[in-house]
Amino acid sequence: MDDTRYKILLIEDDRFDQMAFERFLKDEKPLYECKIASSVSQAHNILACEDFDAIVSDYSLGDGTALNILDFTKDIPIIIVTGVGDEEVATQAWRRGAYDYITKDIKRNYLKAIPKTIKNAVEHKKMEEALERKKRNLEAIFDAAPGSMLLIDENMIVTRANDTIKQLVQKEYHHIINHKLGNVLGCINSTCNENACRNSQLCQECPLYKTLKSVLDSGKPVHDVEAHITLKINEKKITLWLRVSAKPVIMDGCKHVVVVIDDITEHKKMESEHRLAEEKYRLIFENSAVAITMADEQNKLISWNKFAEDLLGMDREDLFLRQVSSLYPPDAWGKIKACNVKQKGLQHHLIETTMIRKDGSIIDVDVSLSVFKNPEDERINSIAIIRDMTERRKAEEKLKETMEIKSQFISTVSHELRTPLAAIKEGIAIVLDEVVGRINEKQKKFLNIAKRNVDRLGNMINNILDFQKLEAENIGLHIQNNDIKQIALEVHETMVLYAEKNGIELMYEFAEDIPQAKFDRERIVQVLINLIGNAIKFSPKGGQACLNVRHRNEELVISVSDTGFGIPKYELPKIFERFYRAKHQREEVQGTGLGLSIVHKIVTRHGGRIEVESEVGRGSTFTVFLPLDPKTSQNLLPVTADHIL
Ligand code: ADP
């Protein structure tokens, strides 16, 4: 059942017409609720406090006309009914906003037309309201759109703009709406309206103008056109990358373009940085002096550099989608495959192996393999950096051989020198001891010089032999439990006479409770003798030297200090090198420059270390740290020539 009810205000000063109107509407469907005003002022009062769906008003009223009513009722549809009106009145009424105009034609029973007109007026108003709402919604969407949206007309004048464009150009609406696009955006070529967005040479070069002009001219939309333009925003020149989409529309009968502009400057910057980085890595990849190959999850080659082609003697066709396994001998491939397990994250492996070249020859290589899972599609990829080690391995072999020959040579020569030296020494001793006849003081003096030099030569040969053996690791250490205090005491006893002869006071300090330690007794004695010997040698007469033994945590700490000449700072890193003798050396102090390198070798072979502190003119302290048990020491490494060289 239709229970629509229209609330009507009838403004009529004629009592009979009022009654006729009421009577007529009483039986009409839908229902009409009718209120009556007899004058303009009465209608004014009623309308001030009540709302109506429609107003039916007589044209001539005692205190005015229906046109006066139109002045204060903008939102309610008004139907004007009159017996005196003519066409001019009707036109005026419509122009002032009346919904309709009906003549009181009694013969044609004008009342009959009123209900339909009211209904139409009410519905028309509802429709208008709905349209208005829709328009407001659309405007809200337009304003809130994340991209900058503009509506421009045929003359490139902005007729609408949303909030985002305000932020982009940093201008208020009154500087945007009804202004040329070039001025709105701050085009550097359009400092005043005359220059902005015209068909000029400069505009022809503007990518934005060209795009929008083409849309206006062709009537076809464009999408995602990228424009690189320089604008003046807040008096600052800024070069931006804009992405523009534009669609033609007809509005109020005129061509317009809806333009969506995105500022993609940051995006472009990132894109170019990304491209640069990619290019950089590609250059490194292409030009690196090692072979690089990349394989997919099925171990098929998907990428490689020129160096890889050269190393394997293969070209593009040979390598493209080739099974990686075919590049390795079977046992070598087993090693590589074991690394290719599907574990999460990135893994690195360094493998010494061999590879097969196209001609079947085998090459020694070091493969640095990185296996990683691609997080997006869970694929496993691997990158191998391959270094050709063939030449290096050959060189290493050669070096080893040469070193062996050298060692052999040195040992043989040293042994050969020792025997005649022993005979010379013996001979001098016999003559000096006057076993074969008396000799005078002058002869004694010269023979003593000869003896000292023979001793020196003997020491030198012994040192060279020791060093040689240590370097070749021929000396197997004889590790056993030892009492360092006992050994240090014996060494002190031996050296104290030598010290006295050189005018040096040799002292010792041993801490209580020094535990037993495992080391090679003979070698550690050699260390102590070398260090104490140096302390005596490199101290002026009247000086002091001290042997100190203590222990700290799992280490023995043995130091030899003196009040001697000291060593300049710049020489300290070199004194453990073989044959190195400090530059400031006093000529009268004899030596080979091997003592400290032998000490260093022995100490490091025990898993220990040696440190030195020294000050020129004040003296030096050499401190040896020896693990109580070399087997448990972290430092126990095989000593190679490199440690000393
Ligand atoms: P050598 O004693 O045969 O010269 P070393 O290898 O024992 O050779 O010592 C190398 C150099 O280190 C010595 O020539 C000397 O210059 C310096 N040196 C070693 N010990 C001391 C020390 N206690 N005081 C001053 N200089 C020293």
Side-chain angles (χ1 to χ4, degrees):
M1 209 177 86
D2 185 7
D3 58 353
T4 317
R5 178 184 285 267
Y6 292 140
K7 196 173 167 197
I8 308 295
L9 175 65
L10 173 69
I11 311 170
E12 176 62 77
D13 56 353
D14 187 308
R15 184 75 195 117
F16 289 107
D17 282 349
Q18 285 175 5
M19 279 160 52
F21 188 81
E22 272 187 312
R23 209 177 313 121
F24 181 76
L25 288 186
K26 220 166 92 191
D27 303 325
E28 276 299 311
K29 284 272 174 222
L31 300 172
Y32 289 89
E33 188 186 314
C34 203
K35 191 139 196 174
I36 294 173
S38 312
S39 63
V40 173
S41 58
Q42 199 183 357
H44 191 272
N45 291 341
I46 294 172
L47 284 165
C49 25
E50 270 185 74
D51 205 11
F52 294 90
D53 291 316
I55 299 171
V56 178
S57 177
D58 185 19
Y59 180 75
S60 304
L61 298 158
D63 55 352
T65 68
L67 297 182
N68 300 117
I69 308 286
L70 281 167
D71 289 339
F72 54 79
T73 54
K74 293 276 180 265
D75 295 335
I76 307 172
I78 299 189
I79 301 149
I80 297 177
V81 187
T82 181
V84 293
D86 56 20
E87 265 186 22
E88 202 187 312
V89 174
T91 321
Q92 232 185 350
W94 275 318
R95 216 175 271 152
R96 302 265 291 263
Y99 176 74
D100 211 347
Y101 186 92
I102 297 171
T103 314
K104 281 185 185 171
D105 188 341
I106 311 267
K107 276 189 222 142
R108 287 200 196 140
N109 196 0
Y110 75 97
L111 283 173
K112 265 193 178 169
I114 285 185
K116 192 147 191 231
T117 314
I118 290 174
K119 200 174 164 208
N120 285 347
V122 172
E123 256 152 39
H124 178 81
K125 193 194 163 209
K126 271 189 194 154
M127 242 157 71
E128 257 182 1
E129 279 172 355
L131 266 173
E132 186 57 31
R133 266 201 308 278
K134 216 169 181 176
K135 197 174 137 210
R136 273 202 302 272
N137 286 346
L138 280 174
E139 279 173 0
I141 292 169
F142 185 84
D143 283 340
S148 305
M149 279 174 90
L150 290 163
L151 188 68
I152 55 160
D153 68 11
E154 271 183 299
N155 300 313
M156 295 277 171
I157 289 176
V158 177
T159 58
R160 259 208 89 87
N162 70 351
D163 253 13
T164 326
I165 202 96
K166 254 173 63 183
Q167 288 158 20
L168 177 74
V169 298
Q170 295 182 23
K171 283 181 183 163
E172 286 307 321
Y173 276 131
H174 60 274
H175 288 301
I176 298 175
I177 308 297
N178 292 333
H179 289 274
K180 286 252 190 183
L181 182 64
N183 294 99
V184 171
L185 293 180
C187 163
I188 51 162
N189 299 322
S190 56
T191 43
C192 66
N193 272 331
E194 272 64 49
N195 294 336
C197 297
R198 317 186 80 207
N199 227 347
S200 70
Q201 185 59 35
L202 283 173
C203 293
Q204 285 305 321
E205 284 159 22
C206 166
L208 190 58
Y209 175 82
K210 276 198 296 185
T211 307
L212 302 184
K213 190 85 175 59
S214 82
V215 174
L216 278 166
D217 293 348
S218 69
K220 286 188 187 141
V222 292
H223 298 285
D224 298 339
V225 175
E226 288 180 2
H228 194 214
I229 56 172
T230 304
L231 304 176
K232 212 189 231 168
I233 294 175
N234 276 347
E235 293 309 308
K236 259 202 246 144
K237 266 194 192 177
I238 300 174
T239 303
L240 295 175
W241 270 103
L242 302 179
R243 184 163 46 215
V244 181
S245 293
K247 201 171 177 183
V249 284
I250 300 289
M251 287 194 103
D252 304 326
C254 300
K255 281 188 192 174
H256 280 75
V257 183
V258 182
V259 192
V260 179
I261 299 176
D262 280 321
D263 180 1
I264 54 164
T265 315
E266 274 306 306
H267 171 83
K268 275 275 172 193
K269 218 163 91 190
M270 269 162 63
E271 206 178 71
S272 110
E273 274 166 17
H274 185 73
R275 228 192 348 262
L276 269 176
E278 227 175 57
E279 179 65 6
K280 210 162 72 187
Y281 285 115
R282 200 188 58 75
L283 277 174
I284 296 172
F285 179 76
E286 289 296 338
N287 298 314
S288 64
V290 283
I292 307 175
T293 61
M294 200 185 284
D296 65 8
E297 78 276 24
Q298 288 162 6
N299 284 320
K300 280 185 181 161
L301 284 182
I302 47 173
S303 189
W304 58 88
N305 65 356
K306 179 85 179 66
F307 210 87
E309 290 184 5
D310 294 346
L311 178 72
L312 298 167
M314 298 182 188
D315 58 21
R316 230 197 111 68
E317 257 115 80
D318 296 320
L319 290 171
F320 187 62
L321 290 183
R322 186 188 185 103
Q323 271 296 338
V324 179
S325 57
S326 69
L327 298 173
Y328 295 90
D331 58 330
W333 173 241
K335 255 203 244 176
I336 303 271
K337 201 156 184 269
C339 306
N340 229 342
V341 283
K342 299 190 178 187
Q343 260 178 32
K344 269 204 176 144
L346 179 65
Q347 309 157 55
H348 297 290
H349 309 271
L350 193 67
I351 310 150
E352 263 182 44
T353 183
T354 48
M355 287 183 94
I356 314 170
R357 302 184 81 239
K358 190 178 179 182
D359 60 11
S361 56
I362 302 283
I363 44 172
D364 285 312
V365 289
D366 272 359
V367 177
S368 164
L369 186 68
S370 306
V371 185
F372 56 92
K373 209 177 228 181
N374 193 332
E376 287 109 46
D377 50 14
E378 293 269 301
R379 274 189 314 123
I380 309 281
N381 280 27
S382 56
I383 293 184
I385 299 174
I386 306 160
R387 255 176 311 161
D388 182 3
M389 301 304 280
T390 316
E391 286 309 312
R392 181 157 174 183
R393 300 249 159 90
K394 270 191 208 154
E396 276 171 4
E397 281 300 311
K398 188 108 191 125
L399 186 70
K400 216 167 136 197
E401 250 173 55
T402 317
M403 290 291 279
E404 265 162 27
I405 295 170
K406 190 192 91 185
S407 308
Q408 197 64 45
F409 172 76
I410 292 175
S411 321
T412 317
V413 170
S414 308
H415 275 295
E416 291 306 312
L417 285 175
R418 260 181 172 179
T419 324
L421 209 63
I424 297 169
K425 198 174 165 181
E426 190 54 35
I428 293 173
I430 289 170
V431 179
L432 260 180
D433 291 349
E434 299 182 333
V435 178
V436 288
R438 285 183 67 80
I439 50 169
N440 63 30
E441 281 312 305
K442 220 170 182 178
Q443 288 166 330
K444 241 188 209 158
K445 190 181 152 200
F446 284 115
L447 279 174
N448 268 323
I449 294 173
K451 183 178 177 279
R452 270 204 306 276
N453 279 296
V454 168
D455 283 345
R456 220 178 122 196
L457 208 59
N459 272 343
M460 200 186 283
I461 292 169
N462 284 343
N463 269 345
I464 292 174
L465 267 175
D466 274 352
F467 181 77
Q468 190 54 44
K469 281 188 204 152
L470 277 165
E471 196 173 56
E473 292 182 25
N474 284 344
I475 294 185
L477 293 182
H478 201 257
I479 303 283
Q480 57 185 38
N481 258 337
N482 282 302
D483 180 355
I484 184 69
K485 227 155 125 180
Q486 170 68 30
I487 293 168
L489 211 58
E490 281 171 25
V491 172
H492 179 266
E493 252 170 40
T494 319
M495 298 298 284
V496 82
L497 287 174
Y498 173 62
E500 268 171 19
K501 229 165 108 192
N502 285 277
I504 305 294
E505 187 190 356
L506 177 63
M507 299 170 291
Y508 68 82
E509 271 170 18
F510 300 151
E512 296 291 317
D513 306 327
I514 300 176
Q516 291 243 317
K518 286 185 173 162
F519 54 82
D520 181 325
R521 184 193 161 91
E522 283 312 302
R523 295 291 149 201
I524 295 305
V525 165
Q526 200 177 355
V527 165
L528 297 184
I529 287 178
N530 280 359
L531 292 178
I532 296 172
N534 280 350
I536 296 167
K537 269 200 304 189
F538 296 107
S539 296
K541 272 199 169 61
Q544 289 173 331
C546 184
L547 168 64
N548 182 304
V549 183
R550 55 201 186 277
H551 101 281
R552 197 182 62 188
N553 303 329
E554 292 303 293
E555 284 180 327
L556 286 181
V557 184
I558 307 162
S559 53
V560 176
S561 50
D562 61 55
T563 54
F565 307 127
I567 308 161
K569 255 202 168 56
Y570 69 91
E571 301 228 62
L572 285 177
K574 298 180 185 165
I575 56 172
F576 294 99
E577 289 173 14
R578 56 187 168 177
F579 302 115
Y580 189 83
R581 307 204 71 219
K583 297 278 173 299
H584 71 287
Q585 206 68 267
R586 291 165 183 251
E587 292 208 342
E588 68 272 15
V589 185
Q590 291 165 358
T592 55
L594 278 174
L596 283 183
S597 49
I598 291 174
V599 166
H600 184 275
K601 272 217 171 284
I602 294 173
V603 171
T604 46
R605 281 201 61 192
H606 277 82
R609 65 189 194 284
I610 180 163
E611 288 172 4
V612 55
E613 278 173 67
S614 189
E615 204 180 316
V616 173
R618 294 193 73 101
S620 318
T621 301
F622 287 79
T623 308
V624 169
F625 299 86
L626 275 186
L628 292 180
D629 184 351
K631 268 196 227 104
T632 57
S633 166
Q634 298 275 340
N635 299 333
L636 188 57
L637 295 169
V639 178
T640 63
D642 290 350
H643 283 79
I644 284 195
L645 295 176

